[in-house]
C-alpha cells in the first residue's frame, strides 16, 4: 500500500505546483515583446544621457513597427532617424517619456542621432536601428 500512496502524493504535489504557477502567471504584468521576436509591433525603451543612447543598437525584423519609448537621464535631448522623417524632443529627466514610431520597409541600417544641442558631446549621440529579413540577415 505505501508503494501506491507515494506516487499519488507526488502527483498531488505536482498538481499543486502547476496550479500555483498558473496563478502567478495570471497576476504577472503583461510581458513586453522581446527584441528580435517577429511580430507586427515591438516596443523598446531607450534612455538618453550626455552623450549616448542606451541601448544604441536596436534590431527588429523588416516591416515591424518599432515604438521607441524615450526618456532622458539629464537634460532635454532629441531623437531623429536620419532621412526617415522621425524627429522628437525627449523631455528632461523626470518629465516623462516621448514615443517615436518607425516601421522599416527595407532591410538595412538606419542611423538615429540626437537632434537637440545638448553639450560638447552632442555630435556623439547616435545609434543604429538594424532591420533584418525574417531569416535574420541584414543586407
Ligand atoms: Cu543629446 Cu544632443
Amino acid at each position: 500500500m505505501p508503494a501506491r500512496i507515494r506516487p499519488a502524493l507526488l502527483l498531488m504535489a505536482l498538481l499543486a505546483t502547476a496550479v500555483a504557477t498558473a496563478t502567478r502567471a495570471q497576476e504577472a504584468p503583461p510581458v513586453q515583446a522581446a527584441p528580435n521576436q517577429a511580430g507586427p509591433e515591438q516596443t523598446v525603451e531607450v534612455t538618453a544621457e550626455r552623450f549616448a543612447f542606451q541601448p544604441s543598437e536596436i534590431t527588429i525584423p523588416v516591416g515591424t513597427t518599432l515604438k521607441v519609448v524615450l526618456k532622458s537621464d539629464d537634460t532635454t535631448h532629441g531623437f531623429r532617424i536620419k532621412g526617415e522623417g522621425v524627429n522628437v524632443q525627449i523631455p528632461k529627466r523626470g518629465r516623462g517619456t516621448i514615443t517615436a514610431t518607425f516601421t522599416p520597409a527595407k532591410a538595412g541600417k538606419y542611423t538615429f542621432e540626437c537632434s537637440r544641442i545638448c553639450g560638447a558631446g552632442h555630435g556623439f549621440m547616435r545609434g543604429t536601428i538594424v532591420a533584418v529579413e525574417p531569416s535574420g540577415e541584414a543586407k
Side-chain angles (χ1 to χ4, degrees):
M1 206 54 160
R4 284 199 149 191
I5 288 167
R6 203 171 283 162
L9 282 174
L10 185 67
L11 186 63
M12 280 169 65
L14 282 172
L15 277 171
T17 306
V19 167
T21 305
T23 307
R24 266 200 304 276
Q26 273 181 347
E27 288 166 358
V31 176
Q32 180 180 307
N36 302 327
Q37 180 186 321
E41 190 177 299
Q42 281 189 19
T43 300
V44 176
E45 291 177 9
V46 173
T47 300
E49 190 178 13
R50 295 189 184 96
F51 291 102
F53 290 102
Q54 186 61 241
S56 61
E57 186 170 306
I58 301 164
T59 301
I60 55 165
V62 171
T64 297
T65 296
L66 173 67
K67 293 198 164 184
V68 186
V69 180
L70 295 144
K71 74 168 172 123
S72 172
D73 253 357
D74 44 38
T75 190
T76 309
H77 294 275
F79 179 87
R80 168 166 58 210
I81 303 174
K82 288 173 84 174
E84 299 298 327
V86 174
N87 190 3
V88 297
Q89 182 168 302
I90 309 168
K92 63 178 165 184
R93 180 190 176 99
R95 297 289 175 85
T97 63
I98 184 93
T99 301
T101 302
F102 172 56
T103 308
K106 294 186 298 183
K109 293 187 174 182
Y110 300 83
T111 299
F112 61 82
E113 61 187 10
C114 183
S115 55
R116 189 179 187 280
I117 303 294
C118 56
H122 163 71
F124 296 112
M125 287 191 68
R126 47 181 61 234
T128 309
I129 295 165
V130 183
V132 296
E133 298 288 0
S135 63
E137 292 294 315
K139 279 182 184 164

